[in-house]
């Protein structure tokens, strides 16, 4: 009976693995299709689906990427997206970490009420702020500027950052912090040398979420970004408007815009997984 039970468990485990592999391939199918389409010229795409190239790799060409990278609008939009996503992510990480530590371990009047106000900001949708913030940015000269887009993303990313990091920092044993204070560590040194290293996984997870959100955003960029040098999402949308259904331009552009966030995710995959698992355990 034990042999039968072990064989049944092994078979069930194998079936689960096969199912997960098939589900993963099915989930990746649109990305694979986009990748293959990005290496096909317009004529090949008009004659049939992208899957035809899997049996005839000679149809693949890099001409689409050569034309795309020769387009100053697309390359400029990539640089513009980097100039928005990197500062917006770093500002959220720095300010969110400082505020999270303050709410978790510093005593000051109105701390709990202020934290509840920060949490309440999580339910405010981005669309509600577009018109008033547009008027504000227009009055102070930040409308259609990179700084304006960065400030908007930072403001809307901070409530979640403060909420996440405050809850993570609050799980640090108080005895550890007290021991550091007894050794003469001030609040700044305690924050930099004790809290930040322990909170590294949570900060890395937050950084990945923030970077992906800013990089893939189109609504905020469409409203606030410089129309002469837009981010990649807006630049691709303008390509659709100008040339219609030009998949030979859109496919390589879309995949190129995906490559950077994918590289960031895989580069910090271990920290992301550690942060998620630590949060789940706590």
């Amino acid at each position: 009976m034990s042999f039968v039970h072990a064989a049944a468990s092994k078979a069930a485990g194998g079936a689960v693995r096969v199912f997960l592999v098939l589900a993963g391939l099915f989930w990746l199918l649109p990305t694979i299709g986009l990748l293959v389409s990005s290496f096909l010229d317009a004529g090949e795409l008009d004659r049939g689906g992208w899957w035809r190239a899997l049996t005839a790799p000679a149809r693949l060409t890099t001409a689409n990427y050569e034309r795309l990278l020769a387009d100053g609008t697309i390359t400029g939009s990539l640089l513009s997206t980097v100039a928005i996503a990197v500062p917006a992510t770093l500002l959220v990480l720095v300010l969110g970490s400082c505020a999270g530590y303050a709410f978790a371990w510093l005593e000051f009047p109105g701390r709990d009420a202020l934290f509840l106000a920060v949490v309440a900001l999580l339910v405010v949708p981005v669309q509600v702020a577009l018109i008033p913030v547009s008027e504000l940015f227009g009055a102070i000269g930040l409308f259609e500027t990179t700084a304006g887009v960065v400030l908007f993303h930072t403001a809307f990313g901070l409530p979640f950052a403060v909420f996440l990091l405050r809850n993570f920092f609050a799980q640090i044993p108080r005895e550890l912090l007290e021991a550091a204070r007894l050794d003469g560590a001030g609040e700044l040194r305690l924050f930099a040398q004790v809290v930040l290293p322990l909170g590294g996984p949570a900060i890395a997870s937050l950084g990945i979420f923030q970077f992906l959100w800013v990089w893939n955003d189109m609504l905020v960029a469409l409203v606030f970004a410089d129309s002469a040098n837009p981010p990649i999402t807006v630049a691709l949308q303008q390509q659709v408007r100008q040339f219609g259904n030009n998949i030979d331009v859109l496919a390589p552009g879309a995949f190129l815009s995906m490559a950077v966030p994918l590289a960031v995710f895989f580069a910090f995959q271990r920290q992301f997984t550690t942060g998620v698992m630590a949060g789940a355990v706590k």
Side-chain angles (χ1 to χ4, degrees):
M1 291 296 292
S2 60
F3 174 77
V4 173
H5 179 72
S9 300
K10 186 175 181 179
V16 170
R17 292 188 185 92
V18 171
F19 173 77
L20 292 176
V21 170
L22 293 177
L25 292 175
F26 182 77
W27 182 75
L28 287 173
L29 191 60
T31 304
I32 297 173
L34 180 64
L35 175 61
V36 176
S37 298
S38 69
F39 286 99
L40 295 174
D41 59 32
E44 287 290 345
L45 291 169
D46 290 338
R47 283 191 287 271
W50 58 266
W51 49 87
R52 296 170 61 246
L54 298 179
T55 57
R59 297 172 178 171
L60 301 178
T61 176
T62 60
N64 293 340
Y65 284 95
E66 293 172 1
R67 288 195 300 269
L68 187 72
L69 294 176
D71 186 347
T73 301
I74 297 298
T75 54
S77 67
L78 285 171
L79 295 176
S80 178
T81 309
V82 172
I84 292 172
V86 173
T89 301
L90 293 178
L91 282 172
V92 166
L93 293 181
V94 173
L95 297 177
S97 298
C98 295
Y101 174 74
F103 281 119
W105 294 108
L106 299 183
E107 297 289 342
F108 55 90
R111 183 186 68 171
D112 294 338
L114 185 58
F115 180 69
L116 289 177
V118 171
V119 173
L121 293 175
L122 289 170
V123 303
V124 177
V126 173
Q127 293 82 354
V128 172
L130 293 179
I131 294 178
V133 174
S134 297
E135 295 177 352
L136 174 63
F137 281 0
I140 62 179
L142 287 177
F143 193 74
E144 287 203 354
T145 64
T146 299
V149 184
V150 171
L151 288 177
F152 191 95
H153 281 302
T154 301
F156 272 85
L158 274 176
F160 176 71
V162 174
F163 173 74
L164 175 69
L165 296 180
R166 181 266 177 191
N167 291 340
F168 194 93
F169 291 161
Q171 301 297 325
I172 298 175
R174 181 180 294 272
E175 294 79 8
L176 182 62
L177 302 182
E178 294 297 334
R181 289 192 177 98
L182 289 175
D183 288 339
E187 294 298 334
L188 183 59
R189 182 181 174 188
L190 184 65
F191 172 68
Q193 297 185 3
V194 178
V195 175
L196 284 184
L198 292 175
I203 295 173
S205 300
L206 174 64
I208 291 174
F209 280 123
Q210 176 70 9
F211 184 85
L212 295 182
W213 176 52
V214 177
W215 184 276
N216 294 319
D217 166 75
M218 188 175 76
L219 176 61
V220 176
L222 195 62
V223 175
F224 296 106
D226 184 0
S227 57
N229 190 21
I232 185 64
T233 52
V234 178
L236 292 176
Q237 185 266 344
Q238 291 174 349
Q239 294 286 328
V240 175
R241 186 174 62 222
Q242 292 176 3
F243 303 109
N245 190 21
N246 52 338
I247 189 65
D248 58 314
V249 175
L250 296 177
F255 193 83
L256 197 62
S257 70
M258 291 171 53
V260 174
L262 282 174
V264 170
F265 177 80
F266 285 116
F268 296 96
Q269 183 180 16
R270 179 172 298 179
Q271 291 85 348
F272 176 78
T273 305
T274 304
V276 171
M277 293 301 296
V281 172
K282 293 177 181 180

